Amino acid sequence: MSSESPLSGERAGDDQEAAVPIDPATFERTQSLTDIAHRITVRDVITFPWFRPIDTISPTHTVGKGRTNLTLIAPDIMQTDTTGTPYASFSFRPTPSGGPGVSVHFTPGDYGATTVSDYLITFVVTANGAVNLNVGGFAGGSTPTGLGPRTVNGNVAIVVGLKSVPPTQVTYASIQQTGGAGWQWFRTAIEYPPLIIQL
């Protein structure tokens, strides 16, 4: 599962820009299409554009609509003026909150949602070796999918599924390091699950 990192050979925290733009579509996802798909029948009403991200939080776009925002915990560096892809890099060290990490809050109603729906929050990261993470999340009355301890290596898209979220519910998803190598976070996409049409 190892892949060439945009910061290959660099220790997390070095003031070295990621000169190669990243393509999140090529990153290995931590949940399969079957795990995160939203199944519909031909009788269901679909609101488009379902396939577009609702918002993407990144080092250069840290605040979305309403309560949607970013929290970085103990980064080594956040590089926004790069010729490649802006990033924040991390290396493990104990912190009062447990370890370095990234958290994104999201309230669906701030983006126009009026009914209960499902959402995905995807963290796009590069691990420079085995990185131990704890994946967390909150969706109100339902339990998110994809939570718990996880070890990643290489280019990975860590997916948290938020199920049956009311439009006014403040949600969050987070990744927090518990040990291992250095890593970089590039962006977190908030989107609807992919659709599978059942005839």
Side-chain angles (χ1 to χ4, degrees):
M1 181 156 99
S2 179
S3 303
E4 187 67 19
S5 157
L7 298 180
S8 183
E10 294 296 329
R11 182 180 59 82
D14 286 349
D15 191 6
Q16 176 70 33
E17 69 178 45
V20 179
I22 61 145
D23 179 3
T26 64
F27 283 42
E28 181 177 335
R29 295 177 76 85
T30 59
Q31 292 193 66
S32 71
L33 179 62
T34 302
D35 294 333
I36 61 177
H38 180 80
R39 288 166 179 77
I40 62 169
T41 68
V42 291
R43 297 179 304 276
D44 291 330
V45 176
I46 306 169
T47 303
F48 287 97
W50 189 274
F51 55 88
R52 293 187 182 155
I54 296 166
D55 205 343
T56 301
I57 302 299
S58 72
T60 58
H61 178 65
T62 59
V63 177
K65 294 182 179 179
R67 294 282 314 277
T68 302
N69 66 80
L70 167 70
T71 301
L72 295 180
I73 303 167
D76 295 325
I77 186 173
M78 186 164 83
Q79 188 73 40
T80 60
D81 62 338
T82 174
T83 57
T85 303
Y87 66 93
S89 65
F90 302 84
S91 55
F92 181 70
R93 61 191 173 281
T95 67
S97 62
V102 181
S103 176
V104 170
H105 285 82
F106 163 64
T107 307
D110 293 333
Y111 290 86
T114 57
T115 61
V116 171
S117 192
D118 299 342
Y119 303 94
L120 300 179
I121 298 184
T122 304
F123 297 87
V124 176
V125 304
T126 291
N128 302 326
V131 175
N132 303 321
L133 298 172
N134 189 46
V135 182
F138 176 76
S142 64
T143 302
T145 62
L147 304 187
R150 180 175 301 281
T151 299
V152 299
N153 194 351
N155 296 334
V156 182
I158 300 165
V159 181
V160 176
L162 306 179
K163 301 286 188 179
S164 303
V165 181
T168 58
Q169 178 65 60
V170 179
T171 69
Y172 77 86
S174 64
I175 55 174
Q176 192 161 21
Q177 187 174 16
T178 58
W183 55 288
Q184 294 80 39
W185 166 78
F186 297 101
R187 63 186 65 161
T188 298
I190 303 165
E191 54 198 333
Y192 294 107
L195 297 178
I196 294 178
I197 299 176
Q198 297 174 324
L199 301 176

